Amino acid sequence: MDSVLSERLAAGLRDIPDYPSPGVLFKDITPLLADPELFAASVDALAAAHRAGSGAEVDVVAGVEARGFIFGAAVALSLGVGFVPIRKKGKLPHTTVSAEYTLEYGTAIIEVHEDAVHPGQRVLLLDDVLATGGTAEAAAGLLEGIGAQVVSVSFLVELEFLNGRERLAGRDVKAVLSY
């Protein structure tokens, strides 16, 4: 992606200090989503490495609640594949598997339907921000636990100073923007 587009995408983000708790700098994506050109460009950037003929094609895209749903569903449509939601505990209606993990400001539990993917399916896992890597690590583990092959873990934004990639060591990790 060229530097002009990177700068435009970065300008579409808003920093919210001390949210959701003191000391956390939250990257708000809502201004980017409100701009159809920037939203489309971000979806294109997230999907680019997995288009037909790339050698990294996927069968399904999984997105983590809540902002990962926005990008994940759009990228799935762009790639012509299905979408799998990974949700907070208690939000899915069918039989689930779950994982507890730590965030930079607490703990959480995520779930996925036990039949969300088929053994061997190639999955692109998406979320908006890579911070400490706990959410992505838990989500990838859930998908692999039900038989998926997580081909890549991709983010719109990576907060490099939080070293989230370390928790995803051995995985293909991509970020459109890095801070």
Side-chain angles (χ1 to χ4, degrees):
M1 177 170 47
D2 67 48
S3 62
V4 172
L5 181 56
S6 291
E7 288 174 18
R8 290 191 60 231
L9 289 174
L13 302 175
R14 174 174 40 210
D15 288 344
I16 309 290
D18 298 320
Y19 182 84
S21 60
V24 174
L25 180 64
F26 186 83
K27 292 291 186 182
D28 181 12
I29 62 167
T30 57
L32 180 144
L33 296 174
D35 183 318
E37 186 179 320
L38 291 180
F39 185 29
S42 65
V43 169
D44 288 344
L46 287 163
H50 303 285
R51 297 216 180 276
S54 67
E57 295 88 352
V58 295
D59 302 310
V60 67
V61 174
V64 181
E65 186 170 353
R67 294 175 309 273
F69 286 7
I70 297 166
F71 292 105
V75 169
L77 283 173
S78 176
L79 294 174
V81 300
F83 175 73
V84 170
I86 299 174
R87 302 222 44 199
K88 295 173 184 168
K89 183 176 176 59
K91 300 290 185 178
L92 292 170
H94 188 53
T95 307
T96 62
V97 293
S98 63
E100 184 172 1
Y101 62 99
T102 58
L103 300 155
E104 61 271 26
Y105 48 83
T107 63
I109 299 173
I110 54 173
E111 297 179 321
V112 67
H113 281 144
E114 68 180 2
D115 61 355
V117 295
H118 305 293
Q121 272 193 307
R122 296 168 51 86
V123 178
L124 167 58
L125 176 59
L126 281 178
D127 207 352
D128 65 328
V129 176
L130 172 58
T132 63
T135 305
E137 179 184 43
L142 279 177
L143 292 165
E144 291 165 346
I146 58 174
Q149 176 190 357
V150 177
V151 171
S152 184
V153 187
S154 296
F155 305 89
L156 179 64
V157 175
E158 178 180 5
L159 304 177
E160 292 176 325
F161 64 94
L162 292 174
N163 302 312
R165 278 184 188 253
E166 290 177 11
R167 291 184 75 170
L168 301 171
R171 299 185 183 283
D172 177 52
V173 179
K174 293 177 175 41
V176 175
L177 301 169
S178 296
Y179 295 95

